[in-house]
Amino acid sequence: RKRQRYVEKDGKCNVQHGNVRETYRYLTDIFTTLVDLEWRFSLLVFILAYAVTWLFFGLIWWFIAYCRGDLDHLEDHAWTPCVNNLNGFVSAFLFSIETETTIGYGHRVITDKCPEGIVLLLLQAILGSMVNAFMVGCMFVKISQPNKRAETLVFSSHAVVSLRDDRLCLMFRVGDLRDSHIVEASIRAKLIKSKQTQEGEFIPLDQTDLSVGFETGDDRLFLVSPLIISHEIDERSPFWDVSRHQLEKDDFEIVVILEGMVEATGMTCQARSSYLADEVLWGHRFAPLLSLEEGFYEVDY
């Protein structure tokens, strides 16, 4: 039976939220909701936000001109309209775009004989600034999200169990493909395995910490070249009483999490990967990939 991963190799979590009744909670944090949307929906909301406000205020400009009788005095040069050269809904819509985007072509312009138009002009200018700040902010945050930086943080396809300094260790390797570094990088590992308590309670996907050097500070990485992360299998390890054959037949998943700040932007980045039981090789070691060249070290990925 193929085991369903909790976390994919590329870091995607295979968890979906169903039967969420209090969906209003998403709207209370509308900014994060818009940032988390897929790109096609984000672009649709971005376009609709501007189009709806342009149409809404265009309709109001046309309604003001209609109520004042400006549309009935288009050829009367002695008549002072609310907006010069506004002769229908299309021109009102164009004037709305010019007002909100501060283009100002100069053909259509508001006069000083229209107090309701002055009030509407102020409202549209304020609301337009708010829409610009909100939507441009959403787009900027979405574009600059650090999750794409995790694409260049790579993990070894397998983990290994072997002796290191006469101690049995579970090891995996992590590396960074970019020249700009991850600042304050730290690594964590979790064992995902279902278990049953002594009281008979079944806990699906129970999470257990795997020590990768928290006590000694080895979990804080200087990730300039690929590093081998080691978990010592001692009395405190959940693998202490697991033999090689049990390890191959067991049903578990090891989730590894690398976190740090992107040097270029200062934003926090997280990269994830996982290893199933058949991806843990017993008695293997990682091949060396660092060599000394003429004046520099070269990493052969």
Side-chain angles (χ1 to χ4, degrees):
R1 182 177 65 89
K2 182 179 179 181
R3 190 185 190 282
Q4 175 63 52
R5 286 184 180 273
Y6 188 61
V7 176
E8 294 287 352
K9 298 293 284 185
D10 60 359
K12 179 183 178 182
C13 298
N14 287 324
V15 177
Q16 295 186 3
H17 302 284
N19 196 23
V20 179
R21 299 179 180 180
E22 298 178 345
T23 54
Y24 67 89
R25 294 181 180 270
Y26 296 108
L27 297 178
T28 57
D29 186 14
I30 186 66
F31 186 83
T32 305
T33 301
L34 292 177
V35 171
D36 288 341
L37 286 176
E38 296 184 12
W39 265 109
R40 58 179 181 269
F41 296 116
S42 294
L43 292 176
L44 178 62
V45 172
F46 186 85
I47 294 171
L48 287 177
Y50 285 103
V52 169
T53 54
W54 293 340
L55 286 170
F56 174 73
F57 282 102
L59 182 62
I60 297 179
W61 285 114
W62 173 85
F63 182 73
I64 291 176
Y66 176 79
C67 293
R68 282 173 48 90
D70 295 344
L71 302 180
D72 298 329
H73 298 80
L74 296 178
E75 303 299 331
D76 187 358
H77 298 288
W79 180 266
T80 303
C82 183
V83 179
N84 290 328
N85 300 307
L86 194 151
N87 51 23
F89 176 74
V90 175
S91 60
F93 174 68
L94 293 175
F95 179 71
S96 174
I97 296 177
E98 294 177 29
T99 301
E100 190 164 328
T101 57
T102 65
I103 293 176
Y105 289 118
H107 184 63
R108 279 173 289 271
V109 61
I110 190 172
T111 63
D112 57 357
K113 303 298 183 182
C114 182
E116 61 272 25
I118 295 174
V119 173
L120 181 60
L121 180 67
L122 295 174
L123 290 176
Q124 186 172 6
I126 295 172
L127 183 61
S129 299
M130 295 173 62
V131 171
N132 284 332
F134 189 82
M135 298 311 302
V136 173
C138 286
M139 289 294 107
F140 176 77
V141 172
K142 192 170 183 64
I143 291 172
S144 60
Q145 277 184 311
N147 52 2
K148 294 302 179 182
R149 177 64 174 89
E151 297 292 333
T152 50
L153 296 172
V154 293
F155 296 87
S156 56
S157 58
H158 291 78
V160 301
V161 177
S162 62
L163 289 174
R164 173 177 268 195
D165 293 331
D166 204 27
R167 292 174 295 182
L168 196 63
C169 295
L170 170 71
M171 295 174 285
F172 58 92
R173 185 150 59 185
V174 60
D176 188 1
L177 301 180
R178 288 190 180 274
D179 292 331
S180 60
H181 307 308
I182 296 294
V183 183
E184 296 291 334
S186 62
I187 192 78
R188 290 183 291 137
K190 293 278 189 180
L191 175 65
I192 309 296
K193 183 179 179 180
S194 300
K195 75 170 187 179
Q196 190 169 11
T197 65
Q198 297 179 0
E199 295 78 18
E201 178 188 3
F202 179 74
I203 303 178
L205 302 177
D206 181 62
Q207 299 185 14
T208 305
D209 275 327
L210 296 178
S211 175
V212 288
F214 177 77
E215 299 87 355
T216 61
D218 291 338
D219 63 326
R220 295 187 290 273
L221 310 179
F222 182 48
L223 196 59
V224 177
S225 61
L227 300 174
I228 296 177
I229 311 302
S230 175
H231 163 68
E232 183 180 348
I233 302 178
D234 55 12
E235 294 86 349
R236 297 173 298 173
S237 172
F239 296 111
W240 174 247
D241 56 354
V242 179
S243 67
R244 174 181 180 179
H245 299 291
Q246 288 176 317
L247 187 69
E248 294 173 349
K249 297 179 180 180
D250 209 347
D251 189 14
F252 66 87
E253 182 175 353
I254 299 173
V255 176
V256 293
I257 305 167
L258 174 65
E259 292 179 327
M261 290 190 302
V262 181
E263 187 179 40
T265 63
M267 301 182 71
T268 303
C269 173
Q270 184 181 93
R272 298 180 295 266
S273 188
S274 69
Y275 303 98
L276 298 180
D278 56 355
E279 294 172 341
V280 179
L281 306 179
W282 189 284
H284 288 66
R285 296 186 187 277
F286 288 110
L289 44 72
L290 190 65
S291 60
L292 177 60
E293 301 298 332
E294 193 72 27
F296 61 91
Y297 292 96
E298 182 178 2
V299 180
D300 184 3
Y301 286 100

Coordinates of all heavy atoms in Angstrom, one line a residue, residues 7-8 14 20 44 78 88 103 119 128 131 139-140 171 177 184 186 188 210 217-218 247 251 263 266 268-269:
V7 N 3.6 15.6 4.1 CA 4.2 16.7 3.4 C 4.9 16.1 2.2 O 5.7 15.1 2.2 CB 5.3 17.4 4.3 CG1 6.1 18.4 3.6 CG2 4.6 17.9 5.5
E8 N 4.7 16.8 1.0 CA 5.3 16.3 -0.2 C 6.8 16.6 -0.2 O 7.3 17.4 0.6 CB 4.6 17.0 -1.4 CG 3.2 16.5 -1.7 CD 3.1 15.1 -2.2 OE1 4.1 14.5 -2.6 OE2 1.9 14.6 -2.3
N14 N -0.2 18.2 2.5 CA -1.4 17.5 2.0 C -2.5 17.5 3.0 O -3.0 16.5 3.5 CB -1.1 16.0 1.6 CG -0.3 16.0 0.3 OD1 -0.5 16.8 -0.6 ND2 0.7 15.0 0.3
V20 N -15.8 23.9 7.1 CA -15.6 25.1 7.8 C -16.8 25.9 7.8 O -17.2 26.4 6.8 CB -14.4 25.9 7.2 CG1 -14.1 27.2 8.0 CG2 -13.1 25.0 7.2
L44 N -8.1 38.8 -10.9 CA -9.5 39.1 -11.2 C -10.0 40.1 -10.2 O -10.7 41.1 -10.5 CB -10.3 37.8 -11.1 CG -11.8 37.9 -11.3 CD1 -12.1 38.5 -12.7 CD2 -12.5 36.6 -11.0
A78 N -24.2 79.3 -22.9 CA -24.5 80.1 -21.7 C -24.7 79.3 -20.5 O -24.7 79.9 -19.4 CB -25.6 81.1 -22.0
G88 N -22.6 62.3 -21.9 CA -23.3 61.0 -21.8 C -22.6 60.1 -20.7 O -21.6 60.5 -20.1
I103 N -5.1 61.2 -14.1 CA -4.6 61.4 -15.4 C -4.7 62.9 -15.8 O -3.8 63.6 -16.1 CB -5.2 60.5 -16.4 CG1 -4.8 59.0 -16.1 CG2 -4.7 60.9 -17.8 CD1 -5.5 58.0 -17.0
V119 N -17.9 67.8 -3.8 CA -18.0 66.8 -2.8 C -17.7 65.4 -3.3 O -16.9 64.6 -2.7 CB -19.3 66.8 -2.0 CG1 -19.4 65.6 -1.0 CG2 -19.5 68.1 -1.3
G128 N -10.2 56.5 -4.1 CA -9.2 56.0 -5.1 C -7.9 55.7 -4.5 O -7.2 54.8 -4.8
V131 N -8.1 52.5 -2.5 CA -8.1 51.3 -3.4 C -6.7 51.1 -3.9 O -6.2 49.9 -4.0 CB -9.1 51.5 -4.5 CG1 -9.0 50.4 -5.5 CG2 -10.5 51.5 -4.0
M139 N -0.7 43.2 -4.1 CA 0.2 42.7 -5.2 C 1.6 42.7 -4.9 O 2.4 41.7 -5.2 CB 0.0 43.6 -6.5 CG -1.4 43.4 -7.2 SD -1.6 41.8 -7.9 CE -2.8 41.1 -6.7
F140 N 2.1 43.7 -4.1 CA 3.5 43.8 -3.8 C 3.8 42.6 -2.8 O 4.9 42.0 -2.9 CB 3.8 45.1 -3.1 CG 5.2 45.2 -2.6 CD1 6.3 45.4 -3.5 CD2 5.5 45.1 -1.2 CE1 7.6 45.5 -3.0 CE2 6.8 45.2 -0.7 CZ 7.8 45.4 -1.6
M171 N 20.7 10.6 9.1 CA 21.2 11.8 8.5 C 20.5 12.2 7.2 O 20.1 11.2 6.4 CB 22.7 11.7 8.2 CG 23.5 11.6 9.5 SD 25.3 11.2 9.2 CE 25.2 9.5 8.7
L177 N 21.1 26.7 -3.4 CA 21.6 26.9 -4.7 C 22.0 28.3 -5.1 O 22.7 28.5 -6.1 CB 20.6 26.4 -5.8 CG 20.1 24.9 -5.6 CD1 19.1 24.6 -6.7 CD2 21.3 24.0 -5.7
E184 N 20.5 33.4 9.7 CA 20.0 32.8 10.9 C 19.2 31.5 10.5 O 18.1 31.3 11.0 CB 19.0 33.8 11.6 CG 19.7 35.0 12.2 CD 20.7 34.7 13.3 OE1 20.4 33.7 14.0 OE2 21.6 35.5 13.5
S186 N 18.0 27.8 10.6 CA 17.8 26.8 11.6 C 17.0 25.6 11.0 O 16.2 25.8 10.0 CB 17.1 27.3 12.8 OG 15.8 27.7 12.5
R188 N 14.8 21.9 11.7 CA 14.0 21.1 12.7 C 13.6 19.8 11.9 O 13.5 19.7 10.7 CB 12.8 21.8 13.1 CG 13.0 23.0 14.1 CD 11.7 23.6 14.5 NE 11.1 24.3 13.4 CZ 9.7 24.2 13.2 NH1 9.0 23.5 13.9 NH2 9.2 24.9 12.2
L210 N 12.5 15.2 16.6 CA 13.7 14.5 16.4 C 14.9 15.5 16.6 O 14.9 16.5 15.9 CB 13.9 13.9 15.0 CG 12.8 12.8 14.6 CD1 13.1 12.4 13.2 CD2 12.9 11.6 15.5
G217 N 23.4 23.5 19.7 CA 23.4 24.6 18.8 C 23.7 24.2 17.3 O 23.8 25.0 16.4
D218 N 23.8 22.8 17.1 CA 24.1 22.4 15.7 C 22.9 22.6 14.8 O 23.0 22.4 13.6 CB 24.5 20.9 15.8 CG 25.8 20.7 16.4 OD1 26.6 21.6 16.5 OD2 26.1 19.5 16.9
L247 N 12.5 -0.9 10.6 CA 12.5 0.4 9.9 C 12.0 0.3 8.5 O 11.3 1.2 8.0 CB 13.9 0.9 10.0 CG 14.1 2.4 9.5 CD1 13.5 3.3 10.5 CD2 15.6 2.7 9.3
D251 N 5.6 2.2 9.3 CA 4.8 3.2 8.5 C 5.0 4.6 9.2 O 4.3 4.9 10.2 CB 3.3 2.8 8.5 CG 2.5 3.7 7.6 OD1 3.1 4.5 6.8 OD2 1.3 3.7 7.7
E263 N 18.5 36.9 2.8 CA 19.5 38.0 2.9 C 19.1 39.2 2.1 O 19.3 40.4 2.5 CB 20.8 37.5 2.5 CG 22.0 38.5 2.7 CD 23.3 37.9 2.3 OE1 23.4 37.2 1.3 OE2 24.3 38.1 3.0
G266 N 15.2 40.3 3.8 CA 15.0 40.3 5.2 C 13.7 39.6 5.6 O 13.3 39.6 6.8
T268 N 11.2 36.2 6.3 CA 11.4 34.9 6.8 C 11.0 33.9 5.7 O 9.9 34.0 5.1 CB 10.6 34.6 8.0 OG1 11.0 35.6 9.0 CG2 10.8 33.2 8.6
C269 N 11.8 32.9 5.5 CA 11.6 31.8 4.5 C 11.5 30.5 5.2 O 12.3 30.2 6.1 CB 12.7 31.9 3.4 SG 12.6 30.6 2.2

